[in-house]
């Protein structure tokens, strides 16, 4: 099922997501719906926060063919190495792209849909995407990393274009 995506500056994007403790069918259904919603958008990452489900779940697929789905539940970034900067966008901030500074490589501890732990090394786009999505789970949007001046312009633009708040 395709779910509606919340748009900036919706306050629900600021909620801090809670850890998943029970890995039942409802989590599998939610993960499937998140992948469907992300692919349809189309996007390369989606956090549960963005579809108003405040659970620590992110889905990612950075492959060209959209056939390499990655699901991270209760993700924790345990190592951050190096620096990088690249253009980012977000399904919750439509039609807006800005250059954002991130760590180049990270190590992540997470769980799969069955509640099994795994560790992952990520660099480049995958690393950036995970950092962006983990931010969502903490109520942080990529535009929060911008200067106040740029954030001010963004708010005006959003209001002018009459997007749903
Ligand atoms: Ni986003």
């Amino acid at each position: 099922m395709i779910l509606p995506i919340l748009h900036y500056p919706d306050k629900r994007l600021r909620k801090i997501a809670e850890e998943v403790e029970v890995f039942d069918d409802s989590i599998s259904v939610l993960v499937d719906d998140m992948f469907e919603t992300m692919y349809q958008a189309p996007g390369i990452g989606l956090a549960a926060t963005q579809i108003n489900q405040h659970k620590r779940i992110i889905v990612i697929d950075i492959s060209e063919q959209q056939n390499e789905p990655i699901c991270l539940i209760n993700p924790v970034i345990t190592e951050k190495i190096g620096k990088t900067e690249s253009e980012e966008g977000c399904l919750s901030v439509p039609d807006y792209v800005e250059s954002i500074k991130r760590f180049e490589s990270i190590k992540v501890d997470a769980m799969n849909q069955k509640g099994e732990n795994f560790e992952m090394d990520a660099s480049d786009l995958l690393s950036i995407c995970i950092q962006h999505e983990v931010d969502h789970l903490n109520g942080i949007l990529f535009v929060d990393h911008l200067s106040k001046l740029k954030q001010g312009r963004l708010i005006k633009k959003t209001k002018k274009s009459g997007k749903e708040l």
Side-chain angles (χ1 to χ4, degrees), residues 40-127:
Q40 194 263 344
I44 60 168
L46 186 75
T49 307
Q50 292 177 274
I51 43 120
N52 200 30
Q53 290 286 325
H54 302 281
K55 298 184 171 81
R56 302 191 80 82
I57 304 174
I58 64 184
V59 296
I60 291 172
D61 191 337
I62 59 162
S63 70
E64 295 259 318
Q65 280 84 32
Q66 297 201 312
N67 58 3
E68 290 171 31
I70 298 168
C71 172
L72 302 176
I73 300 181
N74 302 336
V76 177
I77 298 171
T78 56
E79 267 188 58
K80 304 163 176 175
I81 306 149
K83 294 224 175 354
T84 186
E85 188 167 350
S86 68
E87 301 266 290
E88 287 185 33
C90 179
L91 294 174
S92 293
V93 192
D95 307 321
Y96 190 78
V97 174
E98 260 297 345
S99 189
I100 304 289
K101 289 183 181 126
R102 301 280 186 188
F103 298 104
E104 190 177 29
S105 309
I106 55 171
K107 246 190 217 306
V108 189
D109 278 345
M111 289 169 142
N112 63 18
Q113 290 176 64
K114 293 175 192 163
E116 297 159 342
N117 290 296
F118 65 96
E119 194 180 53
M120 198 172 151
D121 291 306
S123 56
D124 304 313
L125 181 58
L126 182 58
S127 162

Side-chain angles (χ1 to χ4, degrees), residues 22-59:
V22 181
F23 292 78
D24 57 10
D25 285 352
S26 73
I27 296 298
S28 303
V29 170
L30 177 58
V31 169
D32 289 347
D33 287 347
M34 285 174 64
F35 273 117
E36 203 181 333
T37 303
M38 178 187 77
Y39 286 133
Q40 194 263 344
I44 60 168
L46 186 75
T49 307
Q50 292 177 274
I51 43 120
N52 200 30
Q53 290 286 325
H54 302 281
K55 298 184 171 81
R56 302 191 80 82
I57 304 174
I58 64 184
V59 296

